[in-house]
Amino acid sequence: MAWTSAADLRAQTQKLWDKGTLLTEQVNGQTSFPRRLRLLGPTTAELSARFDEVRIWAQDLRGSAAHGAGHYRVLERDVRSPVLGSNRIPAEVWLDSLAGALALIGQTKEAVRFSALVAVTRDQQPALLPWLEKRPLAALTLAGVWPRLLSVVSWLQAHPRPGIYLRQVDIAGVDSKFIESHRSVLAELFDLALPPEAIDRTATGASQFCLRYGFRDKPLRIRFRLLEASASVYDVYGADITLTQTAFEKLDSSVNQVFITENEVNFLAFPAVRNALVVFGGGFGGLDRLRSAAWLHQRSVFYWGDIDTHGFAMLDQLRVYLPHVRSLMMDSETLMRHTDFWGHEPQAQQRDLPRLTAHERAVYDTLRDNRIRPGLRLEQERIGFGWVQQALAALSS
């Protein structure tokens, strides 16, 4: 095993920087110095067998310490050899101060920049000091915009849950694009600096940033088609209609059946069905938009997704807020009647889906456990159109 070199000592110190250890004490006031570095040196046997190499190694450490103007300190010990007698070799290496550690790896200027961030934060937003302590290197990457981030935090403290669009926020040097491009870090800062009543903790993720902190967001939209002539004010059969989520929730529809499908072509080509409409699902996020449409609870609702693990996962999710929804053409018979159109699902779901029926769970388990072949899927648009018509006709028989 190689003996510790001066380069190894710098690498150990660099790791302390990379973990943020050399910066956090500027926030919490605690110190970890003097700090001992790991030193692996020659054994007594190696001293005798490799004396010239040991002498060069020791001189290198001593010389590096001296050349580094005391960035680290070398302690030595006496080693006695039956052949060579008593000799002194390096036994311990210590970083005596933060300044020395920073100078050793050339990070003094960056540490000064971080100290300035700590000072301005302590003065303006002390509640954010824990964030600086936890993520000092991330803070350094934001040093150029940190004053503006603090301004946004201060503005929202003064205007909790403002009920306006980000575009309407009026802060010197800050525009809506700045806020949008820094949503992730602002969310972490807001969670520390705002009172609990100013945060909707049920809203999570970047897509729900506005909802979480009380900004207005662009309205979510739901797209649907009426499947037969209707007296609805929204139009007649075949119309491709898009409403805001709020308008859809208030929809005064006389339909008895609602179909939800994920594929756009299937949505557009969905056959005529009496007293029915079809909704374009649009994936997990699109299904969430249906959660507050109370009138759907008084209708028969059918979900038609791909016969793959993600299709069943979306069905399971939909049942969180529409527990009565029934699956359509997501059964073993449909799967086995279309073997020529089987495809491959690149990354299957593996989690349990508690809201599936016994028959649905059997198909799901067949897919996720690769009982027929790995990654088996049948996409909904590959199902024969005649089969679709038969399945819909069977619902009314």
Side-chain angles (χ1 to χ4, degrees):
M1 185 177 293
W3 305 328
T4 301
S5 67
D8 295 329
L9 297 176
R10 285 192 293 273
Q12 290 182 49
T13 309
Q14 182 65 44
K15 286 184 180 180
L16 295 175
W17 172 270
D18 294 341
K19 293 193 298 184
T21 305
L22 299 184
L23 292 175
T24 54
E25 70 176 52
Q26 296 188 50
V27 183
N28 58 34
Q30 301 174 358
T31 183
S32 57
F33 295 91
R35 189 182 191 99
R36 185 176 179 176
L37 296 178
R38 183 173 55 84
L39 179 68
L40 180 65
T43 64
T44 302
E46 288 175 324
L47 177 63
S48 299
R50 303 166 58 186
F51 180 76
D52 287 341
E53 294 176 63
V54 173
R55 180 173 52 81
I56 293 172
W57 169 77
Q59 289 175 347
D60 179 61
L61 285 187
R62 296 179 190 123
S64 296
H67 180 72
H71 298 333
Y72 61 83
R73 174 168 49 94
V74 178
L75 299 182
E76 301 191 352
R77 65 185 175 93
D78 286 322
V79 178
R80 299 190 62 82
S81 166
V83 178
L84 301 172
S86 179
N87 291 273
R88 291 184 65 77
I89 64 171
E92 297 178 11
V93 173
W94 288 83
L95 293 170
D96 284 331
S97 66
L98 173 62
L102 293 170
L104 179 62
I105 58 174
Q107 295 289 4
T108 300
K109 289 184 178 180
E110 288 295 275
V112 170
R113 292 177 71 212
F114 183 74
S115 180
L117 293 180
V118 173
V120 70
T121 305
R122 196 182 303 278
D123 179 58
Q124 296 182 19
Q125 291 290 343
L128 302 183
L129 290 173
W131 191 88
L132 292 179
E133 182 177 0
K134 181 180 179 181
R135 303 188 60 187
L137 296 181
L140 273 176
T141 66
L142 296 166
V145 299
W146 190 251
R148 285 191 284 168
L149 292 172
L150 295 184
S151 295
V152 177
V153 173
S154 297
W155 185 91
L156 195 57
Q157 286 175 325
H159 307 85
R161 305 200 67 78
I164 61 175
Y165 290 106
L166 292 177
R167 179 67 181 85
Q168 297 172 280
V169 175
D170 196 2
I171 305 172
V174 174
D175 57 28
S176 58
K177 287 189 176 295
F178 175 84
I179 298 175
E180 289 168 356
S181 62
H182 292 89
R183 282 184 300 179
S184 295
V185 64
L186 281 171
E188 296 178 25
L189 302 182
F190 289 161
D191 284 354
L192 288 171
L194 296 176
E197 62 272 16
I199 304 171
D200 180 357
R201 297 190 182 275
T202 65
T204 59
S207 64
Q208 295 190 311
F209 176 86
C210 290
L211 179 61
R212 186 174 180 87
Y213 303 109
F215 291 99
R216 294 186 68 183
D217 204 356
K218 60 182 180 182
L220 300 175
R221 298 184 178 276
I222 297 173
R223 183 179 173 189
F224 67 96
R225 289 179 54 240
L226 298 169
L227 297 177
E228 75 159 350
S230 170
S232 168
V233 296
Y234 295 101
D235 215 321
V236 294
Y237 166 64
D240 189 340
I241 304 166
T242 300
L243 297 180
T244 65
Q245 181 180 9
T246 301
F248 186 81
E249 291 169 1
K250 298 176 180 178
L251 185 63
D252 183 15
S253 174
S254 60
V255 301
N256 297 323
Q257 295 179 314
V258 174
F259 299 93
I260 303 168
T261 186
E262 293 301 321
N263 179 269
E264 186 175 23
V265 173
N266 282 343
F267 164 78
L268 293 171
F270 205 93
V273 179
R274 186 178 180 185
N275 294 325
L277 62 79
V278 60
V279 174
F280 180 39
F284 288 101
L287 294 179
D288 273 341
R289 299 174 188 181
L290 303 176
R291 67 167 60 239
S292 299
W295 62 271
L296 290 177
H297 292 270
Q298 283 75 53
R299 307 296 191 275
S300 295
V301 182
F302 299 87
Y303 178 75
W304 179 22
D306 295 331
I307 303 181
D308 62 13
T309 61
H310 285 82
F312 282 107
M314 284 189 273
L315 172 63
D316 181 81
Q317 174 188 299
L318 186 58
R319 285 191 175 132
V320 171
Y321 35 88
L322 288 174
H324 69 295
V325 67
R326 294 157 59 186
S327 59
L328 181 66
M329 291 177 285
M330 298 177 69
D331 51 76
S332 58
E333 184 181 5
T334 300
L335 178 65
M336 301 311 295
R337 287 292 187 95
H338 293 81
T339 55
D340 291 343
F341 299 99
W342 286 355
H344 178 74
E345 184 179 28
Q347 188 171 3
Q349 292 273 353
Q350 293 298 322
R351 61 187 176 90
D352 290 335
L353 302 177
R355 286 170 285 272
L356 299 184
T357 67
H359 291 297
E360 294 161 353
R361 187 175 297 110
V363 180
Y364 174 69
D365 288 343
T366 295
L367 298 175
R368 72 166 173 172
D369 297 340
N370 300 317
R371 296 175 185 175
I372 299 177
R373 75 180 194 193
L376 174 61
R377 75 182 308 195
L378 175 62
E379 295 171 287
Q380 56 194 267
E381 64 268 31
R382 296 184 178 274
I383 296 174
F385 197 71
W387 186 268
V388 175
Q389 292 173 312
Q390 290 178 33
L392 295 174
L395 295 179
S396 58
S397 62

